[in-house]
Amino acid sequence: MNYELPSHLWEPQIRGIREVIARWMRGKSVCLQGPTGSGKTTQASVLFQWAASCGMKGIFYVNRRLLVQQTVDRFRKDGLECAIRAAGLEHEFDLFAPFQVASADTERARCFKKEVWPFHDAQVVIIDEMHLQRTDTMKALIKHYKSKGAMIVGLTATPIGLSEWFDELVVSGTLQEYRDCGAIVHADVYSIGMPDMRKVKRNLSGEFVMDGEKKRAYTQSIVEDVFKMYGKHNPDGRPTMLFAPGVSESVWFTEQFNKRGIPWAHVDATDCVVDGERRKLDIPTWIEIQDRVKDGSIKGISNRFKCREGLDIPSAYCAILATPIGSLASYLQIVGRVLRSHPSKDRCVILDHGGAYWRQGSPNDDRDWHEWWSLPEHAVSEMHQLKIREKKKEEPICCPTCQMERTGGLECPGCGHRSEKSRRMVIMENGEMKQYDGKLVKPKFVKREPNTEDIWTGMAHGWRRKKVDRTWNQLAGFFAHENGYHPPKDLKMMPRKEEDWYRPVWAVDACDLY
């Protein structure tokens, strides 16, 4: 590569860019992973600058119209001649600009359906927040540009289940590497309470599906703790994001903060509440809210989903998780809002009222993305607890004195209290709080009887022959239900690889079984 990379890049960014180009030279499409705050838009801009130096053109797909102008301004600042392909911004349309920022929905309407305008003749195609753009339209766009020999790059902090979309995964750098170079900060997590979610169903992504009554009981139980812990752990009112279980709850929290004299705003997909007034959330209003959070005239933003991506507030210091989070991808996107470095902070604070740390692990830990990018999201969301249950990982400890979480050790890094045991407050179905001391995750009862292997192989052959559309983990669960114990994981007709346990029984090749 003759193009000289900008000197301001961090080492992990440089490595990621070089690996993406090298893979493309070998004809591979690439998913580029980097933690939230690692500067993936910067890497995209540099890839486009490299493309420009080679006489190539590029297109960048964003997942939200509110991000289009922000992205264009960034690319133009970096010297790229850039135009827009998105509904409502036709005044920025220029068919001949070498670099374009586009909406996939607009491309579907104007390239596929009505052929209002031609496809951009890009040789470099970059898709932002790829985990949110897994649509039929994006599949068609990728297919079109692949047929033209273009470089295809998907950007994401959570590449779960994306192996079907790209040939290879590039991890630009670990969380520790980005902490070492000053891109992100350490998170102090306090687990205030957690709801009992044993009877709550999950959707395909692993997220909890809470009905109105469960949401109501849970929200009522955490209300006072939300305000008390906000005051205790963020007494200076530094920029805060609150994630609520629903839009109406988000609006309610906003009203309550304002009643307490703490200026607060609510945002959702279409509307917002600012200064006590409901408004439409257009681009100028969204920019205004972010600017006011930065200057301190608004102390925080409540939301359900809106602030999980595309938020430009590096000074954000505190995240209040006022909702249970079942999906690992959602959890990492949410905590990533406060991990970005800023001169005003050397660490950040996460106030967990939903048991996310216990359920998903520390936001400071690295994940094995090369293993997980081939798994469905619900499987990855359950893996932390499964590894604890199988004694491959220690259950985290919540300090009985200050409620700070830690991954192990006798001494709390927050208050110095020494204790081997964890203490957690669990919100029961009726809204009552119950104290649990010690470990909550019970290990599996594993046993090997003389006929265990015969029973297992008979069940496995039967499920494979009938092509039962259930996973090996589900088969193991059915075995436990029928026999009263779990089988060891080294029997004949069992997957050798951890990830294959999450695939349908019929879909794993015989050569990958014991």
Side-chain angles (χ1 to χ4, degrees):
M1 186 173 71
N2 295 323
Y3 173 73
E4 186 174 341
L5 295 174
S7 59
H8 63 79
L9 293 177
W10 297 308
E11 184 56 38
Q13 292 177 320
I14 293 171
R15 183 168 63 240
I17 291 167
R18 285 177 172 163
E19 287 195 27
V20 166
I21 294 173
R23 309 290 173 96
W24 179 61
M25 294 293 190
R26 299 201 298 268
K28 304 294 185 182
S29 61
V30 177
C31 180
L32 177 60
Q33 188 276 340
T36 300
S38 63
K40 291 185 287 295
T41 304
T42 295
Q43 289 171 286
S45 177
V46 172
L47 283 169
F48 282 153
Q49 291 171 55
W50 164 77
S53 74
C54 299
M56 296 190 291
K57 300 177 182 179
I59 190 164
F60 188 84
Y61 285 103
V62 297
N63 65 306
R64 288 183 176 173
R65 194 172 65 86
L66 291 174
L67 299 177
V68 171
Q69 193 65 57
Q70 175 182 311
T71 306
V72 168
D73 292 344
R74 168 62 191 277
F75 288 164
R76 286 174 177 168
K77 185 179 178 182
D78 291 341
L80 293 167
E81 186 182 341
C82 208
I84 294 176
R85 294 163 68 95
L89 294 167
E90 284 79 3
H91 60 286
E92 291 273 17
F93 178 75
D94 179 358
L95 191 62
F96 302 104
F99 295 93
Q100 306 278 338
V101 175
S103 158
D105 288 339
T106 303
E107 296 279 85
R108 179 188 64 202
R110 302 188 183 182
C111 293
F112 290 115
K113 287 187 174 181
K114 297 182 180 178
E115 297 185 4
V116 175
W117 60 42
F119 288 99
H120 184 53
D121 54 342
Q123 291 88 25
V124 178
V125 178
I126 303 179
I127 308 157
D128 195 27
E129 305 288 7
M130 184 61 216
H131 58 283
L132 295 175
Q133 301 216 56
R134 291 178 286 186
T135 64
D136 289 341
T137 298
M138 187 54 67
K139 275 185 181 176
L141 288 167
I142 289 174
K143 181 179 179 181
H144 167 80
Y145 281 111
K146 267 191 173 181
S147 71
K148 304 295 182 182
M151 171 197 285
I152 312 291
V153 183
L155 306 179
T156 182
T158 52
I160 299 167
L162 289 177
S163 62
E164 297 178 1
W165 289 77
F166 300 94
D167 298 323
E168 297 186 7
L169 173 68
V170 169
V171 177
S172 64
T174 65
L175 283 165
Q176 187 58 56
E177 287 175 320
Y178 277 109
R179 276 195 294 269
D180 290 343
C181 67
I184 61 176
V185 299
H186 178 87
D188 290 337
V189 183
Y190 297 87
S191 283
I192 318 305
M194 54 185 288
D196 181 1
M197 306 298 288
R198 288 174 295 179
K199 298 180 182 178
V200 179
K201 293 181 180 179
R202 298 186 187 222
N203 61 22
L204 291 177
S205 70
E207 197 59 86
F208 293 113
V209 181
M210 295 179 71
D211 62 24
E213 181 56 31
K214 283 188 173 67
K215 273 202 299 185
R216 185 194 64 78
Y218 165 69
T219 305
Q220 286 184 348
S221 298
I222 69 168
V223 167
E224 289 306 318
D225 278 341
V226 166
F227 299 110
K228 182 172 74 174
M229 293 301 157
Y230 169 80
K232 178 180 179 180
H233 294 290
N234 188 15
D236 299 327
R238 296 164 77 175
T240 299
M241 307 291 129
L242 183 148
F243 296 86
V247 171
S248 60
E249 290 82 9
S250 174
V251 172
W252 185 86
F253 274 117
T254 298
E255 293 170 350
Q256 296 305 308
F257 271 105
N258 284 316
K259 284 180 181 178
R260 287 164 168 80
I262 305 170
W264 213 265
H266 154 82
V267 293
D268 57 49
T270 58
D271 298 302
C272 63
V273 176
V274 184
D275 299 326
E277 296 181 0
R278 182 174 287 275
R279 299 194 227 165
K280 285 293 180 185
L281 186 66
D282 54 20
I283 293 174
T285 303
W286 184 219
I287 293 172
E288 174 199 337
I289 291 170
Q290 294 181 73
D291 287 344
R292 289 182 61 185
V293 172
K294 292 173 188 176
D295 68 26
S297 59
I298 291 177
K299 296 297 183 183
I301 304 174
S302 292
N303 75 109
R304 170 60 174 148
F305 294 116
K306 179 67 179 173
C307 295
R308 295 188 182 189
E309 303 92 14
L311 190 71
D312 185 26
I313 308 178
S315 59
Y317 169 77
C318 178
I320 302 173
L321 312 186
T323 181
I325 303 166
S327 159
L328 175 69
S330 293
Y331 172 56
L332 295 180
Q333 293 290 341
I334 285 172
V335 297
R337 297 306 100 202
V338 293
L339 289 179
R340 293 173 63 186
S341 67
H342 188 265
S344 66
K345 66 186 187 186
D346 61 359
R347 60 206 311 106
C348 63
V349 167
I350 297 170
L351 304 177
D352 182 8
H353 298 265
Y357 188 108
W358 173 79
R359 196 171 288 111
Q360 306 291 0
S362 171
N364 301 308
D365 287 351
D366 284 303
R367 269 78 182 174
D368 188 352
W369 294 120
H370 283 97
E371 176 187 350
W372 290 4
W373 90 303
S374 63
L375 295 178
E377 190 169 340
H378 70 87
V380 173
S381 297
E382 298 167 3
M383 192 169 286
H384 176 70
Q385 297 268 295
L386 181 62
K387 287 188 175 181
I388 294 172
R389 202 174 299 281
E390 294 181 344
K391 298 183 179 180
K392 296 177 181 178
K393 200 172 191 177
E394 287 297 318
E395 185 171 348
I397 299 171
C398 181
C399 176
T401 302
C402 73
Q403 299 171 295
M404 179 182 277
E405 291 277 9
R406 65 184 188 272
T407 54
L410 286 175
E411 186 171 305
C412 173
C415 68
H417 178 77
R418 294 176 66 83
S419 172
E420 290 182 348
K421 287 189 175 181
S422 179
R423 174 172 294 167
R424 298 184 184 279
M425 301 305 296
V426 179
I427 305 167
M428 308 311 288
E429 273 192 286
N430 59 5
E432 293 181 2
M433 300 285 282
K434 186 174 180 179
Q435 178 178 304
Y436 284 87
D437 291 334
K439 296 180 179 180
L440 289 180
V441 181
K442 304 302 179 186
K444 286 184 176 180
F445 176 49
V446 178
K447 191 166 65 166
R448 188 192 301 266
E449 296 285 3
N451 64 342
T452 297
E453 192 161 77
D454 290 339
I455 296 172
W456 172 264
T457 54
M459 293 173 67
H461 280 302
W463 281 33
R464 284 172 74 79
R465 185 172 59 252
K466 295 176 183 177
K467 288 205 169 185
V468 176
D469 198 21
R470 293 183 181 176
T471 67
W472 288 94
N473 269 331
Q474 288 173 307
L475 175 56
F478 183 69
F479 180 101
H481 175 75
E482 291 291 301
N483 297 279
Y485 66 93
H486 288 270
K489 281 196 168 183
D490 60 354
L491 303 178
K492 290 180 182 177
M493 290 296 293
M494 279 189 169
R496 296 173 183 271
K497 302 175 187 174
E498 184 69 34
E499 58 265 33
D500 284 342
W501 281 91
Y502 298 91
R503 296 196 173 97
V505 170
W506 60 267
V508 179
D509 290 337
C511 62
D512 291 323
L513 304 175
Y514 285 115

